[in-house]
Amino acid sequence: MELLRFIESIRTPFLDTLIGLITRLGEETIGIVLLCLIFWCVSKKIAYVIGVAFFLSSLTVQGMKICFRIERPWVIDPTFEPVPGAKEYATGYSFPSGHTQSATAFYGALGSQVKPMAFKIILFAIPVLVAFSRLYLGVHTLQDVLVSLVITFLLIWLTGRIITSDVESKKKELAISLFMILYAVAVIIIAIIMYSNGTIEDRYIADCLKAAGAGIGFAVGMFVERNYIKFSVKSKNIGMHIIKVVIGIAGVLAFQEGLKLIIGTGFIVDMFRYFLMISWVTMLYPLIIKRCFSVKEA
């Protein structure tokens, strides 16, 4: 808490606004949009690496949150106050940091795949800035962000060692998908047991099950796409790319938010909703892209 107290002493209204913008780089929505753009328009292999690293680290962090159940800094020390408005977006337990994990998985994994050193430096710097933003806002401790950084960078390194080419063997990809599904199921079982015996409340199980549903959707969707759909990221022109992305993102929002109006909410329903959302990104929409937008590879 001493570090947070020091950072609290140097806060200014300008820095509050600037750091508030930086921390948004670690939000789920921005990451999903980035993943969609890369997957649909740039490189399916890079998107595959980012997705595997992101969903494995997300499941790990969410599982650790409910296992360790460490409260936010202002709960640990009631005299400490975060930046005004920061509490509203700081849901769940404090350890490890979800924003840091998300930013590290997306930008760190992308940085591991690009070649220009300038891009690598910028992309690797973003997770560090997001981690600092969580400290500045007063919603996490140094332990929270450091553990997220270490875990996620380790998983990025492992993912890069496992996924080495654009086309992997079907058995290898099946093994990766099955591992992700089993990992997600394990997190689901642990979360439900802890919820059933009263260890955690609804709001804490919800994030775990969303991560699990999304992880299963990615594992199934990417395996099906890479082995059976095989769409091309190429389109006839930039206009077709723009139309493709707009329609695809509209579909993501329809599953993420619009589906609530049809099936309602609740942690089981939300898990299914996130499964459908990521299945749309990785499998359902690629079918449409292949039919309507892609051009054949030379």
Side-chain angles (χ1 to χ4, degrees), residues 115-155:
K115 293 183 178 180
M117 184 55 64
F119 287 163
K120 283 184 179 289
I121 292 172
I122 293 171
L123 289 167
F124 286 144
I126 292 176
V128 177
L129 290 173
V130 171
F132 175 76
S133 77
R134 306 310 285 166
L135 300 176
Y136 180 92
L137 294 174
V139 295
H140 283 290
T141 65
L142 183 61
Q143 173 182 262
D144 298 341
V145 299
L146 285 180
V147 169
S148 269
L149 284 168
V150 171
I151 288 173
T152 311
F153 271 123
L154 176 60
L155 286 170

Side-chain angles (χ1 to χ4, degrees), residues 178-246:
L178 287 176
F179 175 79
M180 292 183 69
I181 291 170
L182 290 174
Y183 195 18
V185 169
V187 171
I188 292 170
I189 291 172
I190 292 170
I192 290 176
I193 290 174
M194 296 182 76
Y195 173 73
S196 299
N197 63 24
T199 303
I200 59 175
E201 301 172 6
D202 293 24
R203 54 182 173 154
Y204 299 124
I205 190 176
D207 288 342
C208 277
L209 296 193
K210 285 179 183 178
I216 293 172
F218 179 84
V220 173
M222 288 300 284
F223 177 77
V224 171
E225 194 290 316
R226 287 171 67 83
N227 289 279
Y228 301 104
I229 300 173
K230 299 179 181 179
F231 79 97
S232 171
V233 298
K234 295 181 179 179
S235 290
K236 295 178 181 178
N237 52 58
I238 187 65
M240 292 298 286
H241 270 307
I242 293 172
I243 294 171
K244 174 173 66 176
V245 170
V246 169

Side-chain angles (χ1 to χ4, degrees), residues 6 56 59 88 105 112 131 153 212 254 265 281:
F6 170 74
L56 285 180
L59 287 166
E88 181 183 351
S112 73
F153 271 123
T265 58
V281 172

Side-chain angles (χ1 to χ4, degrees), residues 7 14 45 106 110 129 142 162 188 262 273:
I7 295 175
F14 171 75
K45 188 255 185 176
F106 282 116
L110 180 57
L129 290 173
L142 183 61
I162 293 170
I188 292 170
I262 300 173
R273 184 163 53 85

